Amino acid sequence: MRPHALLPATAAAGVAVLGYSAVVERNWFALRRHEVPVLPPGARPLRVLHISDAHLTPGRHRLLSFLRTLDALEPDLVVNTGDSIASKLSVTPLLDALGPLLDRPGVFVFGSNDLYAPTMKNPARYLWRTSSDEHKRHVPDLPWAELGSGLEAAGWMDANNRRGRIKAGELDIEVAGVHDSHIKRDRYDKIAGPADPAADLRLGVLHSPEPAVMDRFVADGFDLLLAGHTHGGQVCLPVFGALVTNCGIDRARARGLSQHPAQPGTGPGKRAFLHVSGGLGTSPYAPVRLACRPEATLLTLVPRIG
Ligand SMILES: [Fe+2]
């Protein structure tokens, strides 16, 4: 076949992949499950629902419908690692869809996209740069405070540069979190200090899984870190996985359960379990997901091994 004869076929394949990514996979929600051996011996399992990166606009009815199914999992704790909204009109639909999940113990942090409305960018730029230098605006234009108030009114803990204690299931959990480091709002110094060894679980929550920030959580003795931000790479290649992570974490840990540091002896001398959510959504201006289905995760925490 002559080269010029390949062009129409290549273009048709490209259109098909784009259509699949934007219409099918972006709305093909997955529920992932992992078991995490992080509790004291003899503790009863704790079910933690981890959601992240909904980037909700009010018209995303399939996403809202998926959120409404999650309470049936009967989680003991819900953790939202940010980037929940992408419109001024999204807070009420989001809270409505969370519905009975708001009656359960919950924790949240914000991502940059809870503060700043999405803007049109070259969608390919994410391949060569992170989003940390894309937020030159200083006055938030999304109702992040209204979102936070709604979640706090339901009893969820605001973990943005805060540390506290919650009860979930039968467990006493120490929680610490930071605001988004990509807009330089993380203040680890405000929450720094050894985690309480008397707590049943020490949980760290952050939007972007930046290794330097996670090093500090681990050095302070936190057992489990939950983060989002990466969208699992959002556009992945089969087998190869994420092309980029849009932050400091390596591609292999762009989504799913791993440990931090990834290799023993490369960090603060301790290790924690790390779960990075691949997220529920996308920016409205990059509405595609490929080989990286949108997701929520049910983590079942069980006693430590040995
Ligand atoms: Fe996001």
Side-chain angles (χ1 to χ4, degrees), residues 63-109:
L63 171 50
L64 290 166
S65 297
F66 180 67
L67 278 174
R68 287 192 190 95
T69 68
L70 298 175
D71 187 66
L73 299 168
E74 300 186 344
D76 300 299
L77 173 65
V78 186
V79 178
N80 179 2
T81 46
D83 275 7
S84 299
I85 55 175
S87 159
K88 290 178 178 171
L89 303 176
S90 297
V91 174
T92 298
L94 177 70
L95 296 177
D96 282 351
L98 289 173
L101 287 172
L102 293 174
D103 297 331
R104 301 179 181 277
V107 175
F108 68 95
V109 289

Side-chain angles (χ1 to χ4, degrees), residues 242-285:
L243 299 171
V244 294
T245 66
N246 203 19
C247 63
I249 200 168
D250 49 286
R251 291 190 309 103
R253 296 186 293 163
R255 180 177 70 73
L257 186 65
S258 63
Q259 295 199 26
H260 186 78
Q263 301 298 327
T266 58
K270 306 172 186 170
R271 291 176 91 192
F273 283 97
L274 166 66
H275 181 258
V276 179
S277 170
L280 289 155
T282 68
S283 164
Y285 293 112

Side-chain angles (χ1 to χ4, degrees), residues 53 55 82-83 113 207 229 231:
D53 296 88
H55 293 263
D83 275 7
N113 289 285
H207 177 64
H229 176 71
H231 299 192

Side-chain angles (χ1 to χ4, degrees), residues 28-44:
W28 187 16
F29 298 97
L31 177 69
R32 315 270 185 205
R33 295 174 188 263
H34 297 286
E35 199 169 270
V36 192
V38 74
L39 297 184
R44 291 182 59 177

Side-chain angles (χ1 to χ4, degrees), residues 186-205:
D186 57 315
R187 301 286 182 271
Y188 194 90
D189 287 344
K190 283 190 170 183
I191 60 165
D196 184 356
D200 295 315
L201 174 70
R202 291 147 288 271
L203 174 65
V205 184

